[in-house]
Amino acid sequence: MISKKILYTKVLGLAVAALTFVACSDTWDDHYDSLGNTSTSMHEGSLWQAIKGNTNLSNFANVLEACNYKPILDGSQVFTVFAPTNDQFTEAQAKALIDDYKQQLANNVPQKNNTVLKEFVQNHMALYNHSVSSLRSDTIVLMNGKYALLSDKTINGVNILDKNQLYENGVLYTLDKKVEYLPTVFEYVSKDPELDSLRSFLYNSHYYYREFLPGQSVPGSIVDGKMQYLDSVFAQRNELYSYLGLINSEDSTYLMLAPTNDVWKNMIEKYEPYFNFAEKVTNRDSLLYTMPRLLMVAGNTFSRTFNSDASLKDSAMSVQCTRNWVARKSNWFRPFEYFQYFKPLDANGAMDQVEKVTCSNGDVLKAPTWNINDLNTFNQYHINVSRIKEVSKVKDNRSTNPNDSLETVKQVIRFVTSDNKYYDKLWFNQYIEFEQQETQVQHSVTYILPNVLSNMGYDIYLVTAPALAGDSTASDFERLPTEIRCTVYNPGKGSEQLMGPDGTAKTFVTTADAVDYICLAEDYKFNTCTYGVSDEDLQALLKVETRVGNAEVRNGKKTRTMRINCVLLVPHGTMELVDALPSEIGNPGVPVAAKDQGTPGVLLYPHGKYTDRSYRGWYLQR
């Protein structure tokens, strides 16, 4: 379940790219001796003097000077610079970069956000000295945090013309062309106009910020006891990274399904009615905007650690997916396949007909259609086993305080043991027995129905347990049925409705010695949403009360003791009563007679579709 906490709390920053690949030596000779470059000698002057003095690097030098990197490369800080020659880095290209840089300055874009610095200047520089030999290749970290593969012939596939040119404050390489900047998955979203809607949400200032990295910045002088930096390096941070995955980290690899603008618009219009929060909900305006969009990207990102090319032929497990099936059963008692999509590459699969864009840490999959069903993501089963708001009370006649009261029932949790024939037939193998404390009155219990969506059709079931489930030696009297009436309250104790599957109020009699799925309503819609709302006074409620006459109790026909396993809210049409075991199912949705004469089962297929993987997604309660 997605918590609204993500809307208001900061997350831990991304791990800073460690400079563990950088080799720093006390002397140039020692450093180069270790690489077998004993013939290499030191050149006079700084890196800036070397670049400025090389007429074939004039275009590169002009960009550096316009971006105020002359004092940086003329100072004492040690750098490695990869300089493209004029042959394929033209004067026109250099001028375009300079104009872009100045335009961003005119638009008050801070230096730390200037794309010319990050995507060009810092993409051709690294802190410290890096040299190469034919004996090995190495991975280095560029000034912008990007990783680059450096060999004695290439850097990220770009040919090196001159290498290991030693100067007083670093090493100079010349290249036959510039090193292309490859954006991360997160960065690419901001660059593609077809993904503007997604970018607007992911880069919303409520989530998006930058963090200064002093270890990768260029220090200058100390003024008033505070370090001044000649060049400041920042890392992108976003609260959504903890939700989507570290899609801006060079250390991770992801696939991200990215809805194009038309898809985004259509899906948000579909989802917005589901999140009509009550006026009294804290931060209502923020939730109205955020929740449909947050849940639009729920389950859209896939770590390559768990989604290899081979595994994607079978299924895709998103970052939001609970990968461990034991944990799924712990969460829901059934291993629901939320945020997991089978056969994603097949026709109409989650990744069908996408356009793949290669990024530095994975791929963006631009989706012109949306093949993820909300039944696979946020439109989930709600299984309330024990979240109770209150039980019925009567005045305490033994107290002198007129406001004192007594609960008419005591709540006792009963567990179904593995040797009991009802084991695995009740959700979480437990139920609550509401033992009578007052025998001459009707009793009631009010359940909270959390995280309901507005304008979303639900089928509402009350699941009751037989006495034998908790005690295989239960007496005939204990095994008597009870009669109940149920009332639903819209969130905030709003309008109330007596429940019946045909829309009319009625009472229900439980079946002795059976697990009953009592259908209280079909396609019921709540008027407001409580998704992520914690205030109990703003929740939807279900009141269950006995309707057993005194004569029926005296004559041993019925009991006022209630045994409730759970309240079950399921998306309309995704649960079906059948008389068949999974192995006997033919076509989905077609009941098949069971071979035995046992109690009709309840076949649960939460995604509304059949899968051919040993009936995953189909569950039978008997």
Side-chain angles (χ1 to χ4, degrees), residues 16-19 77 127-128 143 211-219 229 231-234:
V16 176
L19 298 176
Q77 177 70 35
L127 284 173
Y128 310 113
M143 284 283 291
E211 182 178 324
F212 176 55
L213 301 179
Q216 296 187 36
S217 301
V218 181
Y229 288 89
D231 185 58
S232 300
V233 177
F234 289 77

Side-chain angles (χ1 to χ4, degrees), residues 3-4 6-8 201 204 206-207 240 264 268 272 275 277 283-297:
S3 170
K4 75 170 185 176
I6 189 173
L7 302 176
Y8 312 113
F201 178 66
N204 189 298
H206 187 83
Y207 310 109
L240 295 175
W264 180 275
I268 294 301
E272 280 180 335
F275 299 96
F277 290 91
N283 297 303
R284 178 178 185 270
D285 290 343
S286 177
L287 289 169
L288 288 173
Y289 169 81
T290 301
M291 293 310 293
R293 291 160 180 80
L294 183 65
L295 294 170
M296 179 65 204
V297 299

Side-chain angles (χ1 to χ4, degrees), residues 51 53-60 83-87 89 161 175:
I51 294 169
N54 188 334
T55 57
N56 204 25
L57 300 179
S58 59
N59 297 331
F60 183 61
T85 60
N86 294 347
D87 297 332
F89 179 59
L161 302 177
L175 311 177

Side-chain angles (χ1 to χ4, degrees), residues 223 260 391 418 452 465 555 595 603 609:
V223 178
T260 56
V391 297
S418 58
V452 298
N555 296 333
K595 292 181 179 179
L603 188 66
K609 64 181 181 180

Side-chain angles (χ1 to χ4, degrees), residues 193-206:
E194 292 187 292
L195 304 178
D196 281 347
S197 299
L198 177 60
R199 177 205 57 77
S200 179
F201 178 66
L202 295 185
Y203 278 76
N204 189 298
S205 59
H206 187 83

Side-chain angles (χ1 to χ4, degrees), residues 44 160 175 189 274 352 414 420 428 447 482 524 587 615:
E44 292 184 358
I160 296 172
L175 311 177
V189 171
Y274 302 160
D352 182 33
R414 305 290 187 190
N420 189 290
F428 297 98
Y447 281 85
T482 188
Y524 183 86
N587 296 319
Y615 291 88

